[in-house]
Amino acid sequence: MELQEWQKLSEEQKYRYSEELATHLPQSVIFKGLRFYSDGGPELSIAIFEYGGSLFSLMPGAEVQIGYEADNFRPTDEQIELFQDTAEEYGFVLDIYSYVQSVTTPSRKVAIAPMLVEIQPTKIGLEAINSEELKIQNLLQDFPDSPSVNCGDRYGFDRGKDGSVAAWQIISKTQEDIATELAAEGLRLLTFDEWEYACGARSTTLFRWGDFSPSDFYPTNNLGDWKLHLQPNLFGLNIAQNPYDCEIISDKHTVRGGDCGFSICGGMGSFLGWLPLATAYWQPDVLEWLDEEWLDQGISGNFMRRVIPLP
């Protein structure tokens, strides 16, 4: 189903099409109905499916232009001023347009097949453990009033309103581990281009919601009334919401959806703090900023978004 064809269907036709599609998928994939998403603009109804307790949206295919042309960027005066301040401090020689072009993928036309895409990415290697373990008990004693504690993204706990404790740890997994596990279920990861299409949902602006980014807080602060980055996009996906939460894709040792927190952690200003959420943002050397343990031992602690291919 191509995107333009999908958009022309009535809601009844979309529903019938999705019901019919479900009959050609494994019985464990269940059609749940249609939901409407706007991402700050016109609404689009998307078919939602469930697999193994997780929700997937039907992402229509398209022959689409992805990447970014910085000549089309329309920054605000505040964005320009913030970038110039950062450029002076860090010795950048590029202007804001050239810099944006240097950290976004080139404009290109690609053909994307329709597929079911997981709405909420899942953290890799997350495993439930007994809250009676000594390391968890120590955390509970050190943080008796905290609803949630994360110890170096290695282990931690979440405390429910009823006082119950859900403890977890991160176990090491490699790219090969993930690919093998997914293939055994008939699933896979998004490719480099598929991720970009899934994120932007055909938006041609810097961010999926437009060119604007707040000037007085980072996307991790969740301050004020600005919440567009936290809302599902036009395909119903929760994607590119936190620069720290990078997503792995099928390309080995490549991540999308952030810079692993480098810009924010480095105090590089709000414009560069928001820029990693741009749809086409990508720096090939982003993983060089991470320690060797990440590269040598696995990709645990990052996120993955599963795909159910269509017949």
Side-chain angles (χ1 to χ4, degrees):
M1 174 65 69
E2 296 296 307
L3 180 58
Q4 290 183 340
E5 184 181 359
W6 176 263
Q7 291 173 312
K8 292 177 181 177
L9 296 179
S10 67
E11 299 310 301
E12 182 180 351
Q13 289 172 323
K14 289 178 181 178
Y15 199 96
R16 289 204 306 268
Y17 173 86
S18 302
E19 284 186 316
E20 174 64 21
L21 175 62
T23 66
H24 298 282
L25 297 173
Q27 290 184 347
S28 52
V29 180
I30 304 168
F31 173 54
K32 302 294 288 185
L34 301 176
R35 292 186 183 177
F36 289 85
Y37 298 97
S38 69
D39 201 16
E43 284 190 332
L44 177 66
S45 58
I46 290 294
I48 304 298
F49 294 77
E50 183 179 350
Y51 170 75
S54 297
L55 296 179
F56 290 69
S57 68
L58 172 60
M59 186 175 77
E63 184 172 312
V64 63
Q65 197 83 17
I66 59 174
Y68 192 65
E69 290 289 350
D71 289 343
N72 298 326
F73 182 35
R74 297 296 179 264
T76 65
D77 291 340
E78 281 187 313
Q79 287 174 315
I80 294 173
E81 183 178 351
L82 287 165
F83 176 81
Q84 289 174 339
D85 290 343
T86 302
E88 291 177 8
E89 181 176 354
Y90 287 87
F92 297 162
V93 296
L94 302 176
D95 61 23
I96 189 171
Y97 302 96
S98 300
Y99 184 86
V100 167
Q101 193 67 75
S102 74
V103 296
T104 52
T105 63
S107 179
R108 61 207 184 277
K109 181 171 288 189
V110 298
I112 304 294
M115 64 193 75
L116 302 187
V117 181
E118 194 168 17
I119 288 176
Q120 184 71 39
T122 55
K123 182 168 283 192
I124 298 168
L126 187 67
E127 179 183 73
I129 59 174
N130 194 320
S131 61
E132 296 300 318
E133 289 200 19
L134 180 59
K135 59 186 178 183
I136 300 300
Q137 286 297 307
N138 289 338
L139 283 183
L140 290 169
Q141 291 178 10
D142 292 340
F143 302 94
D145 300 319
S146 298
S148 178
V149 172
N150 177 346
C151 186
D153 209 18
R154 292 179 291 117
Y155 60 89
F157 69 83
D158 298 300
R159 184 181 276 117
K161 293 182 179 180
D162 60 355
S164 61
V165 174
W168 55 267
Q169 67 181 4
I170 298 293
I171 60 174
S172 179
K173 289 192 176 184
T174 65
Q175 184 92 8
E176 290 77 10
D177 293 335
I178 296 298
T180 300
E181 291 173 5
L182 293 180
E185 297 183 63
L187 309 177
R188 64 174 178 84
L189 297 169
L190 289 164
T191 68
F192 188 93
D193 289 345
E194 287 171 351
W195 187 95
E196 199 165 311
Y197 170 65
C199 180
R202 299 206 71 168
S203 170
T204 59
T205 51
L206 181 61
F207 304 99
R208 62 179 183 274
W209 58 80
D211 286 339
F212 175 78
S213 58
S215 61
D216 53 350
F217 61 92
Y218 287 129
T220 51
N221 297 140
N222 299 335
L223 300 176
D225 296 328
W226 179 263
K227 302 292 184 183
L228 279 183
H229 66 300
L230 299 178
Q231 296 177 6
N233 73 356
L234 199 61
F235 290 152
L237 306 177
N238 294 316
I239 192 167
Q241 297 178 330
N242 185 330
Y244 284 88
D245 296 344
C246 296
E247 294 186 26
I248 68 164
I249 54 173
S250 62
D251 298 35
K252 188 175 181 180
H253 288 168
T254 298
V255 293
R256 302 300 306 265
D259 65 351
C260 301
F262 176 79
S263 297
I264 292 178
C265 188
M268 300 182 74
S270 62
F271 177 69
L272 266 63
W274 281 90
L275 189 56
L277 300 188
T279 300
Y281 180 89
W282 181 63
Q283 291 201 65
D285 60 351
V286 65
L287 297 184
E288 295 179 6
W289 301 334
L290 303 177
D291 58 34
E292 293 182 359
E293 181 179 354
W294 195 99
L295 295 172
D296 293 340
Q297 297 186 19
I299 51 178
S300 298
N302 287 272
F303 289 78
M304 67 175 179
R305 189 181 302 271
R306 299 174 296 172
V307 169
I308 301 175
L310 299 183

